[in-house]
């Protein structure tokens, strides 16, 4: 699933190319990803609209259009939003095509069909389910050690569980949660409320560090992820625990282990991250 670094990379690769373009036609090959409005209204409303800005909130892409509209896109597990030449063949599982001036197209593909697209007014955007409940943006000045400590206080849930909770910190998914906890030296099953001040400080530093490193390397391409130009990322080559079960830790040499935390496959190093007593 594209996480914050992947969505941010898509945003950056689309922003310069898409801003100022007008939508001349909308082709809907599969309407199931469109949550609102109904497909024909969706299509007719978009024609003639101009892309004014491309932003991100958590894992959501926010494509601001003229006349006060916003396309809100969540890529979920396998969604791809790619700018292509109109003459290029359509990739498999392409569900939506936005024709633009200059013989280019913005294409949405989604193998698993779990992604969502909403066309709403700017005044209604922050009422959208999922978007309206988002917590701290981890790459913003609002993400402080004090705020992080406050939300962790007295929480009995495993720290990884809280990192994945979008109402607490927006944008972190399974891959980066594991890498963040490894960087901070914290076992993923440790109850969040039991983190020491030193561990909270290490976690606060690790979150933006690992997310920014992911962005620097244009995201993690393990399965379907590509950026807005259709190119794969490179952060998968730098993963230190995620997907490395049975391999030696690159830091201490201990064998990387896999467990499940709240039903999610979780990778950690017992040498660097210690152990947690199960109660």
């Amino acid at each position: 699933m594209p996480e914050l670094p992947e969505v941010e990379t898509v945003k950056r690769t689309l922003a310069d190319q898409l801003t100022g373009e007008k939508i001349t036609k909308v082709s809907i090959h599969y309407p199931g990803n469109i949550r609102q409005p109904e497909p024909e209204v969706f299509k007719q409303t978009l024609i003639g609209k101009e892309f004014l800005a491309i932003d991100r909130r958590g894992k959501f892409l926010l494509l601001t259009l003229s006349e006060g509209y916003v396309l809100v896109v969540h890529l979920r597990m396998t969604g791809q939003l790619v700018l292509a030449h109109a003459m290029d063949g359509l990739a498999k599982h392409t569900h939506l095509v936005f024709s633009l001036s200059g013989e280019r197209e913005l294409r949405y593909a989604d193998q698993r069909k779990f992604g969502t697209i909403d066309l709403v007014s700017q005044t209604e955007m922050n009422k959208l389910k999922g978007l309206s409940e988002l917590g701290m943006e981890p790459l913003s000045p609002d993400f402080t050690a004090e705020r992080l400590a406050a939300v962790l206080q007295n929480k009995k849930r495993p720290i990884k569980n809280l990192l994945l909770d979008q109402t607490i910190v927006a944008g972190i998914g399974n891959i980066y949660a594991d890498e963040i906890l490894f960087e901070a030296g914290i076992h993923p099953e440790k109850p969040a409320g039991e983190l020491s001040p030193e561990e909270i400080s290490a976690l606060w530093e690790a979150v933006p560090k690992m997310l920014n490193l992911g962005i620097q390397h244009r995201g993690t391409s393990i399965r379907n992820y590509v950026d807005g130009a259709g190119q794969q990322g490179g952060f998968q080559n730098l993963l230190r625990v995620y997907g490395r079960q049975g391999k030696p830790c690159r830091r201490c040499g201990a064998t990387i282990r896999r467990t499940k935390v709240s039903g999610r496959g979780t990778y950690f190093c017992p040498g660097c991250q210690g152990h947690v007593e199960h109660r």
Side-chain angles (χ1 to χ4, degrees):
M1 176 189 292
E3 302 179 29
L4 187 155
E6 289 74 48
V7 179
E8 178 67 21
T9 302
V10 172
K11 184 204 91 170
R12 294 184 184 187
T13 52
L14 289 179
D16 291 341
Q17 299 293 318
L18 202 54
T19 304
E21 289 276 5
K22 282 189 177 180
I23 299 171
T24 60
K25 178 183 175 183
V26 178
S27 302
I28 302 176
H29 301 291
Y30 170 75
N33 297 105
I34 302 170
R35 292 200 300 187
Q36 60 177 310
E38 66 92 16
E40 191 57 35
V41 176
F42 178 88
K43 180 191 297 186
Q44 294 303 320
T45 303
L46 282 171
I47 293 174
K49 300 297 184 292
E50 179 182 346
F51 288 98
L52 302 181
I54 316 295
D55 297 298
R56 178 196 56 76
R57 176 75 170 99
K59 300 178 189 178
F60 288 86
L61 280 166
L62 311 175
L63 288 75
T64 302
L65 302 164
S66 55
E67 299 182 37
Y69 286 96
V70 183
L71 265 177
V72 181
V73 181
H74 198 306
L75 301 173
R76 300 290 177 187
M77 292 184 69
T78 58
Q80 300 174 342
L81 197 62
V82 176
L83 196 60
H85 193 280
M87 297 300 291
D88 295 341
L90 287 183
K92 197 174 181 181
H93 310 295
T94 298
H95 301 325
L96 290 169
V97 177
F98 306 89
S99 298
L100 311 170
S101 50
E103 298 186 337
R104 295 196 298 176
E105 295 175 343
L106 180 65
R107 300 173 177 179
Y108 177 78
D110 191 348
Q111 180 179 346
R112 298 290 294 276
K113 301 180 178 178
F114 292 154
T116 60
I117 300 177
D118 295 88
L119 176 61
V120 296
S121 67
Q122 286 181 294
T123 56
E124 294 293 313
M125 180 181 68
N126 289 324
K127 298 178 184 178
L128 276 179
K129 182 175 174 56
L131 187 60
S132 61
E133 297 92 2
L134 289 179
M136 293 181 285
E137 190 66 36
L139 299 184
S140 78
D142 293 336
F143 184 69
T144 64
E146 293 75 20
R147 288 190 68 187
L148 180 61
V151 298
L152 299 183
Q153 190 173 14
N154 300 322
K155 297 292 194 305
K156 296 181 180 179
R157 287 188 288 161
I159 182 57
K160 179 173 179 182
N161 182 287
L162 265 73
L163 284 180
L164 295 178
D165 187 337
Q166 300 300 296
T167 68
I168 293 177
V169 182
I172 299 174
N174 211 35
I175 295 173
Y176 290 93
D178 285 354
E179 295 297 311
I180 286 165
L181 289 170
F182 174 80
E183 175 68 20
I186 299 169
H187 195 285
E189 295 179 293
K190 185 165 186 176
E194 295 182 13
L195 265 62
S196 68
E198 292 75 21
E199 288 175 319
I200 294 172
S201 178
L203 181 62
W204 173 68
E205 292 179 355
V207 168
K209 177 179 179 179
M210 300 314 294
L211 294 177
N212 278 316
L213 192 60
I215 294 168
Q216 180 184 333
H217 290 273
R218 304 182 62 77
T220 303
S221 292
I222 294 177
R223 298 178 184 88
N224 301 81
Y225 162 71
V226 293
D227 66 17
Q231 303 298 312
Q232 291 189 334
F235 192 61
Q236 64 275 10
N237 300 317
L238 300 178
L239 296 174
R240 293 182 290 179
V241 285
Y242 185 86
R244 301 192 67 246
Q245 177 185 9
K247 295 180 180 179
C249 173
R250 291 170 173 157
R251 179 187 289 165
C252 76
T255 301
I256 301 298
R257 294 183 186 173
R258 184 182 187 275
T259 186
K260 280 198 172 183
V261 178
S262 302
R264 304 296 299 274
T266 298
Y267 301 87
F268 69 100
C269 171
C272 295
Q273 295 168 265
H275 70 279
V276 168
E277 303 244 348
H278 292 278
R279 301 169 185 175

